[in-house]
Amino acid sequence: MSDKTYQIVVAGELVDGTNLPEVKAKLAALFKTPAERLDPLFSGKRVVIKKGLAADIAGKYVAAVRSAGLQCRAEEIVAEGEAQQPSPGPTAAAPGISLAPVGVTIIEPPAVTVPKFDVSAYSMAPAGETLIEPPAIPALDIDISALNMDPVGDGTQLVEAERVAPAVIDTANLNLAPAGSDVGEMKREEGPPPPDTSHLNLD
C-alpha cells in the first residue's frame, strides 16, 4: 500500500453552469458549516481545505467538492527535501510509466483571480416602474366640418352602380313542342328475330 498523502486545494473557481449562492449552500451542507464561513474559499487565492489524505480518500473529496460546483484538485504532499514523483497508479501501462491517482493534478493550472466590481453606486428600480418615459404623441387635428352623414336607414346610395343593358336574343325562329311530344327520345334498333323452335319437342 502506498504511504503517500494528499491535500485538497481550491482557488475560488466555479464549475461551468453554477452560481455562487447555490455553490455556497451546497458546500455548507457538505461541510456542515455556515455558508458565511466559506467566503475565503472564493477569494481567488489558493486555499488548502484538507490535508493528509490517502489517494482514494482524496479522490472522493475532489469528486464531492466538484459536484457541489467548486473546482478542486488533489496535490501530493512531498516531504521537505524530496522531489515530487508521479504517484504509481493501480496498474502500470508500460515499464517506467505509471498513472497518478484519481484527482491528482499533473500540471498545475495558473491561478485565476476572480474580478471584483464595485456596484455600490448602482440601484435597481422596483418591478413595474417606467425607466424611460415615452415621448408624448400629439393627436392629429383633422378638419371634418365639410363632411356629413345621412341618418341610419335613409337608403342614400353613395356610389352609383353602373347600368348594364339587357341582352337582346332573337327567338323568332324558336317554338315549343306540344305537351307529351317525343322531343329527344332515342330510337331503339330492332334486334334479330327469335330462333324457330317449332321442330323441337320435349319427351
Side-chain angles (χ1 to χ4, degrees), residues 43-128:
S43 64
K45 299 179 180 179
R46 182 175 179 274
V47 178
V48 177
I49 61 175
K50 194 72 174 178
K51 291 183 178 181
L53 302 176
D56 56 340
I57 302 300
K60 293 179 180 180
Y61 260 89
V62 170
V65 174
R66 286 180 178 172
S67 66
L70 182 62
Q71 294 288 7
C72 177
R73 61 182 179 274
E75 296 178 351
E76 180 184 341
I77 300 176
V78 181
E80 187 176 354
E82 293 183 3
Q84 183 172 351
Q85 299 294 332
S87 300
T91 58
I97 300 177
S98 60
L99 300 176
V102 177
V104 174
T105 301
I106 305 300
I107 299 176
E108 183 73 21
V112 179
T113 302
V114 179
K116 294 184 179 180
F117 300 96
D118 182 11
V119 295
S120 58
Y122 298 92
S123 61
M124 182 175 293

Side-chain angles (χ1 to χ4, degrees), residues 28-48:
L30 179 64
F31 295 132
K32 297 180 175 58
T33 186
E36 56 270 14
R37 296 188 59 184
L38 302 176
D39 289 341
L41 304 184
F42 304 93
S43 64
K45 299 179 180 179
R46 182 175 179 274
V47 178
V48 177

Side-chain angles (χ1 to χ4, degrees), residues 144-158:
I144 59 173
S145 59
L147 305 179
N148 55 43
M149 181 178 293
D150 286 339
V152 177
D154 192 17
T156 301
Q157 187 170 357
L158 301 179

